[in-house]
Structure formats: structure tokens, C-alpha cells
């Protein structure tokens, strides 16, 4: 099953990540197609410090990548500082930094390509 890893970069990444987790758990499209877990992630080799948190989504058949991208874009619009969200799947890493429909479509194409 595909797994997505989501991180948030902004003024309050820990708080924003927890709020995004809650948002995704309330989003009907996302929660019915994936198990959503907030988990620790080891820092990259060139980073110092403690473990970072990420959202892990383990998807089921019929999961909608477009629904995920739209849910994240919708959540970003509710934030006062619109944090940057990074979504990873396998070796693909995309950044959500706008709510433009063309960018959402680009994100979906990148994450669904194999």
C-alpha cells in the first residue's frame, strides 16, 4: 500500500502539523481512504537536534491523491501564515506552497507518476 509522508514548514511547524493532522482526520475523502498517524521522524543526516514529526498516511485502495492535495490546500487557506507543506511518496517529493488549481493538478500528477 502506498504511504505518504507530510511535513510542515512555517512559524509553528509542530502546532501546524498537529492541526493539519486533525483537519485530515475530519476530511471525509482523506479519512475514509487512509490511516492517518502523527509520528516521529529522524532528522536528516545534515541536521542536528531531536526527532521531527511527520504525518504518515497509509492508503487503501481507492485513495484519492487529488482529494489529499485539495484537503491540504484548503487547510492552508485557513492558516494566517499559510505554511509550506511537503508531501513525499516513494522517491517523489512535492511542495504545496499555493492553492492555485494548476499547482494542485501538478502535485497530483507528480505523486501519482511511477
Amino acid at each position: 500500500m502506498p504511504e505518504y509522508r507530510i511535513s510542515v514548514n512555517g512559524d509553528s511547524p509542530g502546532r501546524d502539523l498537529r492541526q493539519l493532522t486533525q483537519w485530515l482526520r475530519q476530511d471525509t475523502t482523506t479519512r475514509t481512504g487512509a490511516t492517518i498517524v502523527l509520528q516521529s521522524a529522524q532528522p536528516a543526516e545534515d541536521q542536528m537536534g531531536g526527532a521531527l514529526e511527520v504525518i504518515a498516511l497509509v492508503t487503501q485502495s481507492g485513495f484519492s491523491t487529488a482529494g489529499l492535495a485539495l484537503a491540504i490546500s484548503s487547510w492552508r487557506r485557513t492558516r494566517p501564515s499559510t505554511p509550506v507543506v511537503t508531501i513525499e511518496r516513494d522517491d517523489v517529493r512535492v511542495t504545496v506552497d499555493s492553492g492555485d488549481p494548476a499547482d494542485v493538478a501538478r502535485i497530483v500528477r507528480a505523486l501519482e507518476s511511477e
Side-chain angles (χ1 to χ4, degrees), residues 3-7 54-55 57 68 86-94 111:
E3 182 175 322
Y4 295 80
R5 295 178 61 79
I6 302 169
S7 59
V54 297
I55 300 170
L57 275 84
L68 173 63
T86 302
I87 308 170
E88 296 180 53
R89 178 179 171 204
D90 299 326
D91 293 330
V92 177
R93 182 182 186 142
V94 295
L111 290 171

Side-chain angles (χ1 to χ4, degrees), residues 5 9 32 38 43 46 49 51 62 68 84-86 93 96 98-99 106:
R5 295 178 61 79
N9 186 8
T32 58
L38 186 61
D46 60 344
L68 173 63
V84 174
V85 176
T86 302
R93 182 182 186 142
V96 182
S98 101
R106 172 191 57 84

